[in-house]
Amino acid sequence: MTILGIDPGSRRIGYGVVNMDGGSARYVTAGLLRIAATDDIAALGETKREIDRIITEHRPAFMVVEKLFFSKNQKTAMAVAQARGVILLAAKESGLPIREYTPNEVKMGITGYGLADKKSILKMVRLILGEPDLKVIDDASDALALAIFGGGDRATLHGGQ
């Protein structure tokens, strides 16, 4: 089963695709969607097109998206919330079920420590995927962690939500 993990951002969106077979995860791809548009509305359109492209290319069984947490910077939080809404819309329009988790839930599930740092996340993602030399940016390793964590049985699947 193919799973798409998304770490939302306003201009930097991490994505990770894994195949889950029984209890093991296999790396497919990961990266960063760099949204080039400087205008907020144009950036949302670009986000939608890029997410649609990834869904079409990889045909995941479902999408795992990081839940937002409150940020001290309200302007940044609003921009990320808007991008996240577009990402959820893309999943909904393609009929893709969605699983959502907080960063701490994913950190706890992947590393065993809910306050793990980015280095620890990447280390465990490499270990779980059997890819010791995997070189990805933080946003992409977070997206892979989301996909791996979401591939377990612990989640409630929101059908096409």
Side-chain angles (χ1 to χ4, degrees):
M1 159 174 49
T2 302
I3 303 163
L4 171 59
I6 299 288
D7 182 23
S10 59
R11 296 295 194 278
R12 287 171 45 120
I13 299 165
Y15 69 93
V17 180
V18 299
N19 278 329
M20 298 294 285
D21 185 14
S24 66
R26 184 177 57 81
Y27 174 78
V28 176
T29 190
L32 188 64
L33 302 180
R34 290 191 189 268
I35 306 304
T38 55
D39 172 75
D40 289 344
I41 302 301
L44 293 174
E46 198 174 333
T47 297
K48 173 79 166 57
R49 284 188 299 279
E50 287 297 304
I51 294 295
D52 286 343
R53 179 186 60 76
I54 290 171
I55 291 170
T56 300
E57 184 177 335
H58 296 286
R59 297 285 179 208
F62 59 90
M63 178 189 287
V64 184
V65 181
E66 185 176 88
K67 282 185 183 178
L68 287 182
F69 57 95
F70 288 101
S71 172
K72 291 178 185 173
N73 184 336
Q74 288 183 345
K75 184 177 179 183
T76 300
M78 291 296 289
V80 174
Q82 289 174 335
R84 188 175 180 279
V86 168
I87 292 163
L88 296 173
L89 175 64
K92 170 92 173 141
E93 285 183 347
S94 67
L96 199 57
I98 302 162
R99 291 182 178 178
E100 303 175 83
Y101 302 101
T102 65
N104 288 2
E105 286 175 303
V106 176
K107 290 174 184 181
M108 181 62 119
I110 294 294
T111 70
Y113 180 57
L115 300 175
D117 62 12
K118 300 280 188 187
K119 260 176 123 169
S120 299
I121 299 279
L122 178 57
K123 181 178 180 178
M124 288 307 297
V125 164
R126 286 175 174 156
L127 184 65
I128 292 166
L129 295 176
E131 296 280 343
D133 298 323
L134 181 65
K135 297 201 184 333
V136 293
I137 194 161
D138 291 348
D139 304 282
S141 65
D142 288 352
L144 286 167
L146 281 155
I148 293 164
F149 181 74
D153 296 334
R154 72 199 65 67
T156 301
L157 194 59
H158 306 295
Q161 193 174 18

